[in-house]
Structure formats: C-alpha cells, structure tokens
Amino acid sequence: MNHLLRKLTLATLTVSALALTPLAHADLSDVKSKGVLTVATEDDYAPFNFIVDGKPEGFHKELLEDLVAYAKEQKIDVKQDILPWTGLLASVSSGQYDVAFTGALVTDERLRVFNFAPPFASAQHYYVKRAGDKSLSDIASLCGKTVGVQAGSALLARLPELKAMMKEKGCEMGKVVEYQSYPEVYADLANGRLDYAVNALISVNDLVKTRGDTFEKGIAVSGPGFAAWPMPKSSPELLEFLSGFMKHVRDNGRLAALQTKWFGEPFPTMPQEPITSVEQFHKLAGM
C-alpha cells in the first residue's frame, strides 16, 4: 500500500539531478523512422503493473494491448521493458525509453523535467479511518485529531490544503505523525494510536478492498491529483500521439472499463489535456 508514496519520495532526488543535465530525446518522427516506440514499465506496483503466478497483470498490462494496436495503425511497433521503479524515470529522461507507461503521479518537481499525457487516474487525497468509527464523518470531525502520513511525501506536502479546509470550519489540525511507510501508518491506525490517515485515492480504494473489515474510506481532504505517463519535454509530437491514444480509449469506453476494474471506479472528470507546467497543474488541482 506504500507503493504510491514510494514513487514520490524515491524519485525526487533523481529527477532533480536529471534536470541539471541536458539530454537528446527521440520525438515521434524519430519513433516512426525507427518503427519502434519504447516504453518502460515496472512489475511491483499494484494495481497498475504487477506479477501474478509469474505473469504480468494490472491496469497497464491490459491497456498496453490497446496501445500496441493503436500504434500498429501508424506502422509503429511497441517495445516494452520492465524496469525497477528506482531507475525508471531516469531511463526516460536520459532517452533510453520514450515514455514511462506506469502510474507516475504529476508533481511540481517532475513537471520541471517531463510533460505528462492526459491523466488516466485520480490521485486525490482521502482520509482513512477505522471501520465503524462513527465519530469521523466530515472535515470538522477531523479537527484536533491525530493524523498519520508518510514522511517526505506529496501527501505531507499537501496537508496545508486540509488545514485550510479546517480553518474554514473554525478549527485547527491536530498532531501530525510522520512514518517511513504506510504499513506502519495503518498498523498504528488499527491499534488506536492514530485517529485517521491520509493517502491517495487508488491506494485507499485498494486498502478498503483488501482490508475492509479493519479500515473505511473517508472523504477527500485535498484538491484533485493526477496519475499520468511522463515523457521528456523535448518530445511534443509524442505527447500529441499519446494524447490521441488517450482520446481513443476514452471515446470507445475502454478507459472507463479498465478504471472500474482496477481502481474501483471510473474518473469521468479527469482533465483531457496534457499537463505540461507547474502553473497548469496548480490550476487543475486547485492549489
């Protein structure tokens, strides 16, 4: 359950370093010339990409089949390589791969290096409580309570939004406890050391799906957040190509079907345009 935050904390230093090094990247004209679009994926990030009985599974495994068919119409083959997350974004930024086909979250830091295709999933923040805890129901009920969140994460960075929501209700946030991983957060929530926790929507849905006897999903405690595919800023034609692919699977209903299957709900109000700047991201996220 800590994979979503793992991506935010481990990638920050890597992306910062990459931003200092100008590198050459292939755009769609180069991809068409080679006849191959190279995509980097991973295999340990459920429900996006993971392995079951030695075979790939997940949202991106299925959507990759659609991408292969879409690219074939333009005489492009798709070559997939599975990489560990710690080197995945660096491999795209360095030009080894054209795009990261995985559940990367849009952040300020990453937008300094990458453009993102139109988002395919929400990464809005929600609170989690113990199952059956009727004392928590709305923003005002969270005031003064103890919350758990992963240290150094985007979840922690966006807590000021929840503080502002509480201020509107005439109250203040209680104690914030930072943890190294979400299993630790959930252990302390279950045993009563925390009143609630904050995590991204898909992780919360996955938690409740697997441990609904222990935990219950609350309401949103931030503005919108987004999961999307990053590619170098020097590849505007490729960004247009993948934006076209997103429109294709959105229009034919495939995207909504896979979102419902793997994420627990569709996201019909996701932005339909690429995200290419910090200013645009902040506007879309209400930050």
Side-chain angles (χ1 to χ4, degrees), residues 130-152:
R130 287 181 293 279
D133 183 356
K134 299 188 183 303
S135 68
L136 302 182
S137 59
D138 55 13
I139 297 299
S141 68
L142 301 178
C143 295
K145 302 293 196 306
T146 301
V147 58
V149 67
Q150 189 176 44

Side-chain angles (χ1 to χ4, degrees), residues 217-235:
K217 177 182 175 182
I219 62 174
V221 293
S222 79
F226 312 106
W229 307 314
M231 66 209 74
K233 285 191 173 294
S234 56
S235 303

